[in-house]
Amino acid sequence: MGCSQLDTEGLLKLLLVLGFLAGASSATAQVYKCPDATGKLQFQQTPCVGGAGTKLEVRPASGAQPTGAAKPSSASPGGSEKSLSDTLPNERMQRERWVKLNDAKLDADRQRWVCEEQQRTMAARTSFSNNNIAGATRNTAIASEMQAAATTCQNRVTGADRVVDRLQAECDRLGCRAPGT
């Protein structure tokens, strides 16, 4: 092989790489959506035969808008349709509120269960009291302890129920939805 043959091959490779880079730097690509003979859609880089298809604008992954192209409208003529970027945060917020509401309901139920269990445990201690003055005094002390615990529990449960009511009102206002719906 001669030196001139290597130079020609190197030059061809360089031209090929430069052509590829020039093609890759264009703002949009030409893509056509064309029906084939069976009616199935095909995507190709050349215009459809007979002009039956439609030309699609393909933008780079960076989302850059080609110069001179019209920006797509995110709202319908009535203005009621929201863009995807507007609806996703709202849906996420609705689902997060739904999860918080259900967590609060579970917490309130857990508070009730803990209080009931505590009352049962204290009431069971009265069965070990003797039937005398000392036993009566012990039962009175247990009853006072149960009353104090019941008041504390009632305050905790009421607080948990307030949280549930507040979150329920938010969910009713926002239209909360369960995850996956």
Side-chain angles (χ1 to χ4, degrees), residues 58-163:
V58 179
R59 284 183 262 153
S62 67
Q65 182 82 11
T67 56
K71 290 186 178 181
S73 173
S74 64
S76 62
S80 62
E81 188 176 318
K82 292 184 178 181
S83 71
L84 186 59
S85 62
D86 290 337
T87 58
L88 287 178
N90 287 340
E91 288 179 5
R92 180 178 179 182
M93 182 179 60
Q94 290 171 347
R95 286 183 173 90
E96 286 174 353
R97 298 282 187 212
W98 186 89
V99 168
K100 283 183 181 180
L101 172 62
N102 282 299
D103 286 347
K105 287 178 180 178
L106 289 172
D107 184 54
D109 289 342
R110 185 184 59 79
Q111 291 288 344
R112 282 184 189 85
W113 182 85
V114 166
C115 289
E116 290 168 3
E117 188 62 31
Q118 186 180 30
Q119 290 293 313
R120 278 191 292 272
T121 302
M122 284 189 261
R125 288 180 16 211
T126 60
S127 65
F128 297 113
S129 299
N130 293 328
N131 194 8
N132 58 23
I133 298 276
T137 305
R138 182 170 190 256
N139 286 346
T140 303
I142 291 172
S144 296
E145 185 181 352
M146 287 176 68
Q147 182 60 41
T151 302
T152 302
C153 280
Q154 184 59 40
N155 290 338
R156 277 193 236 133
V157 169
T158 301
D161 285 339
R162 282 189 192 131
V163 171

Side-chain angles (χ1 to χ4, degrees), residues 1 54 153:
M1 285 189 202
T54 57
C153 280

Side-chain angles (χ1 to χ4, degrees), residues 23-33 43-45 54-66 69:
S25 68
S26 67
T28 62
Q30 301 295 321
V31 177
Y32 297 88
K33 181 169 64 170
F43 295 92
Q44 58 193 41
Q45 293 179 341
T54 57
K55 181 179 174 183
L56 303 173
E57 286 293 323
V58 179
R59 284 183 262 153
S62 67
Q65 182 82 11

Side-chain angles (χ1 to χ4, degrees), residues 31-44 48 54:
V31 177
Y32 297 88
K33 181 169 64 170
C34 306
D36 65 7
T38 64
K40 187 175 179 183
L41 291 178
Q42 302 290 325
F43 295 92
Q44 58 193 41
C48 305
T54 57

